[in-house]
Amino acid sequence: ELLLDDIVLTHSLFLPTERFLQQLHQQYPWGAASPPAHWEGGSGLRRKQAVLAVLLHFLETYKGLLQEEESAGKVIKELYLLIMKDTSLYNELEDEILKLHQLVETVELKVADETPPPNKQVKPLFRHFRRIDSCLQTRVAFRGSDEIFCRVYMPDHSYVTIRSRLSASVQDILASVTEKLQYSEEQGAREDALILVTMASSGEKAVLQPSEECVFTTLGINSHLFACTRDTFDSLVPLPEEIQVVPGDTEIHRAEPEDIANHVTAFHWELFRCIHELEFVDYVFHGERGRRETANLELLLQRCSEVQHWVGTELLLCESLGKRAHLLKKLIKIAAICKQNQDMLSFYAIVIGLNNAAISRLRLTWEKLPGKFKNLFRKFENLTDPCRNHKTYREVLAKMKPPLIPFLPLILKDLTFLHEGSKTLLDGLVNVEKLHCIAEKVRTIRKYRSRPLCLELEASPSQLQTKAYVRQLRVIDNQNLLFELSYKLEPGSQ
């Protein structure tokens, strides 16, 4: 059972899904025909049972991901029909075939010649549309075929809103923009054809290649897509900061640290549950399914970065020294409650955010922090210390029982080390030991989510306001601007 799970979780490293299923199809002997004479006893039945066991485990593991793979769906349906013919011949297969029938119905496999399903509800990508009604909805997993709304900006900072598949290529996005702008075909064929550019708040920009896919989930926190001609590329400037760089109390000053921490954990648990465990394999090993199946993982990684910058943004927009010290104390409290909630992702992000150079240099602010909280933060720094391969953190994590949210970047680092540290194939044979180590790491994700998160959150107006604030963080991710704000607050601090 363990070896089967290892193979199903990691087969994309050495065998693409379609070929893997074709091999399975070929191994299912003779359909309903009589077995060859050289089969002794029940060897044919045993082979059929073995193929069924692999197929069932494959379907249980992949589930919704298969809805994105047309070719895989076709092979599975062919194999399914072949197996169904054996129902009346082999009573021993009855239970497995019933389970297979239920799984195939649940997965809703996609096949090219079938009638396309009705249009799904269009999803706004959570970082780009700040609407209260959409942000308060429970998060569900993104799939490549999902349609989303996205804004594409022009050099003058006007924009068009397009409706696009999450997995759309740059070429597809530009076609939608061109249609919205009513660009003529003649213009599109000349040198002034549109190109798609990512622009960060710092001014850093890059041209995307026409064949690139799933660019929406790879954008930075305050990055945007721009459509322009090549001769206007150099003149592109980032949008004005999306957050008002002026003093003023936000929700964090009014809400209790317990409420903020609990809503942060609840939101991150929603996002964490949306990630399919195979996204970790695809993210590190670039499986044949491509980027579209790592969208949920990438969104939570970006959220981790967003929380880091949120910590600095809130502190540096607080002009009063007394208020700023109180806010620093509150953020350390929030980190402590996140740790108590076993939300190590948020805990790590807050501690890293407080260690940002623009924050750590605020000597006057840190001096006003009570000694109890200074000591508490030192303990947090020790816990997040990367020395000896994050030994302290790993020891603490090992003592925790599910549900918990781990620090995902460390899991990706471990997987990368496993991948680069040994070969997938040795003398033409699959390195089973490597696959087992990778699968063991992925199985930890399954263990962390094996029990539901139970946090009691009220539905009062004040709680909904805190919930909306937590899910729509407005942050400054431009490090130069953070330093400017820091030096304005405390010019002489070192």
Side-chain angles (χ1 to χ4, degrees):
E1 187 70 23
L2 190 62
L3 177 61
L4 176 57
D5 196 45
D6 289 351
I7 293 170
V8 169
L9 284 173
T10 61
H11 75 80
S12 62
L13 274 68
F14 59 90
L15 199 63
T17 295
E18 187 178 358
R19 284 179 55 202
F20 178 82
L21 290 169
Q22 286 171 348
Q23 290 284 332
L24 204 59
H25 190 289
Q26 291 167 14
Q27 291 300 314
Y28 193 80
W30 295 89
S34 300
H38 65 270
W39 280 1
E40 296 180 3
S43 62
L45 174 62
R46 286 196 295 273
R47 283 186 63 187
K48 289 173 186 279
Q49 287 175 322
V51 171
L52 256 172
V54 176
L55 183 60
L56 287 171
H57 200 96
F58 180 89
L59 287 171
E60 283 181 316
T61 303
Y62 277 66
K63 293 179 181 173
L65 293 186
L66 291 170
Q67 295 173 18
E68 303 298 311
E69 297 189 43
E70 202 170 272
S71 56
K74 188 173 184 297
V75 178
I76 290 173
K77 283 209 168 179
E78 288 175 357
L79 182 53
Y80 168 69
L81 292 173
L82 191 62
I83 292 169
M84 290 303 288
K85 292 178 182 178
D86 279 343
T87 309
S88 59
L89 297 179
Y90 296 97
N91 291 331
E92 295 89 339
L93 299 179
E94 187 176 348
D95 291 342
E96 289 97 329
I97 290 176
L98 177 60
K99 190 175 180 182
L100 174 64
H101 178 69
Q102 293 169 341
L103 276 171
V104 168
E105 278 193 338
T106 303
V107 171
E108 295 178 355
L109 295 170
K110 185 177 178 183
V111 180
D113 56 1
E114 289 187 350
T115 305
N119 286 338
K120 299 179 183 177
Q121 182 180 1
V122 183
K123 302 177 182 179
L125 207 56
F126 77 79
R127 293 178 304 108
H128 296 290
F129 283 79
R130 303 189 180 275
R131 286 170 39 202
I132 296 295
D133 57 342
S134 66
C135 87
L136 292 179
Q137 293 172 5
T138 301
R139 290 291 154 193
V140 294
F142 278 100
R143 294 287 173 250
S145 60
D146 286 340
E147 290 190 322
I148 62 167
F149 288 125
C150 184
R151 291 173 183 163
V152 180
Y153 290 84
M154 303 298 118
D156 63 358
H157 291 176
S158 62
Y159 64 85
V160 295
T161 302
I162 63 169
R163 177 174 175 164
S164 171
R165 286 177 296 105
L166 187 65
S167 61
S169 67
V170 168
Q171 192 171 3
D172 294 334
I173 296 168
L174 286 175
S176 298
V177 172
T178 299
E179 185 180 352
K180 283 265 187 175
L181 295 174
Q182 296 182 327
Y183 240 65
S184 68
E185 290 184 12
E186 292 79 8
Q187 284 176 307
R190 296 200 310 265
E191 290 184 359
D192 57 353
L194 293 176
I195 57 174
L196 198 64
V197 178
T198 59
M199 170 75 78
S201 60
S202 61
E204 186 179 349
K205 52 195 173 185
V207 178
L208 297 171
Q209 298 304 310
S211 60
E212 288 186 57
E213 294 183 346
C214 272
V215 297
F216 303 113
T217 55
T218 61
L219 294 173
I221 300 169
N222 290 327
S223 296
H224 298 89
L225 291 176
F226 278 75
C228 66
T229 56
R230 291 198 177 274
D231 60 351
T232 58
F233 173 78
D234 291 334
S235 64
L236 288 182
V237 294
L239 297 177
E241 290 295 333
E242 294 185 343
I243 185 169
Q244 296 295 318
V245 189
V246 292
D249 290 354
T250 60
E251 182 65 21
I252 194 172
H253 294 273
R254 295 183 285 271
E256 292 297 320
E258 291 82 3
D259 294 337
I260 292 176
N262 288 340
H263 280 293
V264 165
T265 297
F267 184 42
H268 292 173
W269 180 255
E270 284 179 26
L271 296 174
F272 183 45
R273 288 199 64 200
C274 287
I275 303 171
H276 197 291
E277 58 195 26
L278 287 158
E279 291 189 44
F280 289 88
V281 178
D282 282 344
Y283 187 90
V284 174
F285 308 108
H286 309 296
E288 87 288 348
R289 282 180 301 283
R291 294 194 70 92
R292 69 180 181 277
E293 292 308 344
T294 62
N296 303 290
L297 174 55
E298 293 189 59
L299 286 173
L300 187 50
L301 290 173
Q302 288 164 357
R303 171 67 179 189
C304 180
S305 177
E306 191 174 59
V307 171
Q308 293 174 36
H309 288 96
W310 162 67
V311 169
T313 300
E314 289 288 7
L315 281 168
L316 294 173
L317 291 182
C318 186
E319 287 194 326
S320 164
L321 177 59
K323 272 190 175 183
R324 194 163 61 250
H326 181 74
L327 179 56
L328 177 58
K329 174 182 168 183
K330 179 178 278 192
L331 286 164
I332 294 172
K333 270 189 182 179
I334 292 170
I337 298 165
C338 286
K339 179 176 175 288
Q340 186 179 320
N341 289 341
Q342 300 195 142
D343 177 6
M344 301 308 288
L345 183 80
S346 306
F347 168 77
Y348 246 91
I350 293 170
V351 174
I352 292 171
L354 291 175
N355 272 319
N356 185 303
I359 303 301
S360 59
R361 66 167 297 279
L362 298 174
R363 179 176 54 82
L364 299 177
T365 305
W366 286 94
E367 284 179 353
K368 286 186 73 69
L369 191 66
K372 173 185 173 182
F373 284 89
K374 287 179 182 175
N375 292 333
L376 184 60
F377 187 67
R378 286 193 199 100
K379 289 180 181 177
F380 291 170
E381 287 182 305
N382 290 335
L383 178 52
T384 57
D385 191 335
C387 285
R388 292 181 292 173
N389 195 18
H390 300 265
K391 182 176 183 291
T392 308
Y393 165 74
R394 292 181 193 275
E395 289 174 348
V396 169
L397 197 71
K399 295 175 183 176
M400 291 182 173
K401 295 180 180 180
L404 67 95
I405 308 175
F407 184 55
L408 298 187
L410 188 55
I411 291 178
L412 296 173
K413 176 188 170 185
D414 290 344
L415 285 171
T416 302
F417 178 79
L418 286 171
H419 183 40
E420 295 179 351
S422 57
K423 294 181 179 180
T424 302
L425 299 175
L426 296 173
D427 299 324
L429 299 176
V430 173
N431 184 351
V432 177
E433 185 178 350
K434 173 180 177 176
L435 299 192
H436 176 67
C437 291
I438 291 168
E440 278 289 289
K441 182 59 66 174
V442 174
R443 274 191 286 270
T444 61
I445 305 299
R446 194 181 296 171
K447 182 183 76 172
Y448 297 151
R449 301 188 296 199
S450 60
R451 297 184 63 186
L453 178 72
C454 297
L455 284 176
E456 293 184 8
L457 300 171
E458 297 176 10
S460 63
S462 62
Q463 289 289 331
L464 289 176
Q465 190 173 351
T466 303
K467 180 179 180 180
Y469 164 75
V470 160
R471 293 170 177 238
Q472 296 190 103
L473 298 177
R474 293 176 179 268
V475 305
I476 299 170
D477 66 335
N478 185 337
Q479 189 64 31
N480 290 332
L481 181 54
L482 291 175
F483 268 119
E484 285 179 24
L485 292 169
S486 179
Y487 277 99
K488 282 181 182 177
L489 293 174
E490 296 188 26
S493 293
Q494 296 297 323

